[in-house]
């Protein structure tokens, strides 16, 4: 008998935000968004109990199936990061964009469009409403810029949680200017700056820095409690099982699944 816990869903203001959200007249395919797969809102505790807030960029192919953000390669890397801080459950992860992007150059100029920004600010206001968030980490420039825009608002100015910027979890793309070691060195700096502000971790343990590459333990399976009921283990403990189909179709919306 399988007894894995599962995400029972958002509550309160978070639930309302998942019921009323910007549609494809705001996140248009013509503007670079993969709107045909719909919005993907969060991962973690959308119920006011989170102590750590993680902000990413946008959901990709894997997330279109799991219906939770940061659930592919980037998600497992981030999971290892938050667990180094002692968080095994008390976190909330949201993205700058609730729809996937298929063209960065087209989509990024819309980061702070009024409707997109206003909806994102409502999520951030809900996250801080209970006063439990101790720290915020933004992964990548879009996340950092989204956080900066929120901090300029009256609600954002009232937030006292410590913020740390970090490189995007997949910034070490092959042939790019950022190497794996660059990424992990940056994350070590972020961890060391965040650690003194963590007062209520789920697990108390010494901070172990990254080396020159990820170890298996630093790429953990994402907990079943972060996903809808019935999601299979291979979907949360393996990478690259979802990718673009050939042909990719309108808005690169066609996705191919390979079961390991």
């Amino acid at each position: 008998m399988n007894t894995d816990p599962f995400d029972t869903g958002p509550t309160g203001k978070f639930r309302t935000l998942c019921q009323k959200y910007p549609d494809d007249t705001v996140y248009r395919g013509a503007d670079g968004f993969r709107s045909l797969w719909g919005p993907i809102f969060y991962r973690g505790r959308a119920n006011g109990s989170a102590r750590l807030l993680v902000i990413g960029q946008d959901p990709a192919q894997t997330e279109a199936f799991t219906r939770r953000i940061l659930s592919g390669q980037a998600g497992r890397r981030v999971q290892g990061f938050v667990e180094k801080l002692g968080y095994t459950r008390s976190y909330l992860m949201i993205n700058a964009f609730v729809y996937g992007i298929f063209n960065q150059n087209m989509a990024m100029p819309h980061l702070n469009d009024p409707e997109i920004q206003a909806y994102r600010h409502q999520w951030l206001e809900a996250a801080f409403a209970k006063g439990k968030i101790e720290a915020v980490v933004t992964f990548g420039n879009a996340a950092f810029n989204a956080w900066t825009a929120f901090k300029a608002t009256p609600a954002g100015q009232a937030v006292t949680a410590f913020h740390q910027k970090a490189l995007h979890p997949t910034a070490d793309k092959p042939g790019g200017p950022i190497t794996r070691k660059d990424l992990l060195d940056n994350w070590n700096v972020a961890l060391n700056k965040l650690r003194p502000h963590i007062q209520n971790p789920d697990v108390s343990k010494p901070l172990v820095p990254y080396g020159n590459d990820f170890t298996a333990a630093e790429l953990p399976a994402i907990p079943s409690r972060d996903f809808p009921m019935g999601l299979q283990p291979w979907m949360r403990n393996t990478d690259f099982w979802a990718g673009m189909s050939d042909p990719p179709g309108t808005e690169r919306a066609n996705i191919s699944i390979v079961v390991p």
Side-chain angles (χ1 to χ4, degrees):
M1 179 69 68
N2 192 312
T3 58
D4 286 346
F6 58 87
D7 182 13
T8 56
T11 63
K13 178 65 172 179
F14 297 107
R15 184 177 180 87
T16 301
L17 288 168
C18 290
Q19 293 173 319
K20 187 176 181 180
Y21 54 85
D23 60 16
D24 58 6
T25 65
V26 175
Y27 281 93
R28 300 183 304 168
D31 291 330
F33 294 103
R34 191 182 286 120
S35 56
L36 292 171
W37 281 94
I40 299 126
F41 300 104
Y42 73 99
R43 176 160 78 83
R45 313 285 77 78
N47 60 12
S49 67
R51 299 282 185 180
L52 177 71
L53 177 65
V54 172
I55 306 177
Q57 179 176 294
D58 72 292
Q61 297 89 259
T62 302
E63 288 82 355
F65 277 84
T66 65
R67 307 312 298 176
R68 294 295 184 270
I69 73 165
L70 287 168
S71 58
Q73 181 197 55
R76 291 180 66 204
R77 290 181 173 187
V78 168
Q79 189 66 32
F81 182 99
V82 302
E83 290 187 9
K84 281 183 180 289
L85 292 171
Y87 291 111
T88 58
R89 66 167 65 228
S90 300
Y91 49 77
L92 172 64
M93 303 180 187
I94 65 172
N95 275 331
F97 296 109
V98 293
Y99 289 77
I101 291 173
F102 74 90
N103 186 303
Q104 300 275 334
N105 292 335
M106 293 166 62
M108 284 302 171
H110 296 283
L111 179 67
N112 286 315
D113 281 4
E115 288 181 88
I116 292 175
Q117 184 187 79
Y119 181 72
R120 184 173 61 237
H121 286 180
Q122 289 182 69
W123 270 89
L124 291 167
E125 289 168 13
F128 288 102
K130 298 289 186 180
K132 292 186 176 183
I133 300 290
E134 299 175 338
V136 180
V137 56
T138 52
F139 287 102
N141 290 330
F144 174 72
N145 292 336
W147 173 251
T148 301
F150 173 67
K151 282 293 290 177
T153 68
Q157 290 171 14
V159 170
T160 59
F162 178 78
H163 163 254
Q164 178 60 41
K165 180 182 180 181
L167 286 173
H168 188 279
T170 58
D172 58 326
K173 292 180 171 58
I178 297 172
T179 67
R180 180 72 50 82
K181 189 169 188 312
D182 292 333
L183 173 65
L184 296 179
D185 286 348
N186 175 271
W187 280 18
N188 280 334
V189 171
L191 287 169
N192 279 299
K193 290 186 176 180
L194 284 160
R195 188 66 187 88
H197 301 275
I198 307 306
Q199 304 300 318
N200 296 280
D202 299 312
V203 179
S204 294
K205 59 182 181 179
L207 177 60
V208 178
Y210 291 99
N212 293 330
D213 202 351
F214 291 102
T215 66
E218 291 165 346
L219 298 172
I222 297 170
S224 64
R225 71 174 65 90
D226 285 6
F227 292 107
M229 63 188 76
L231 194 88
Q232 294 301 292
W234 61 264
M235 291 186 175
R236 53 189 179 84
N237 63 23
T238 56
D239 298 330
F240 308 118
W241 50 266
M244 288 294 100
S245 291
D246 186 16
T250 303
E251 299 173 22
R252 294 177 64 200
N254 294 347
I255 298 174
S256 177
I257 301 298
V258 177
V259 179

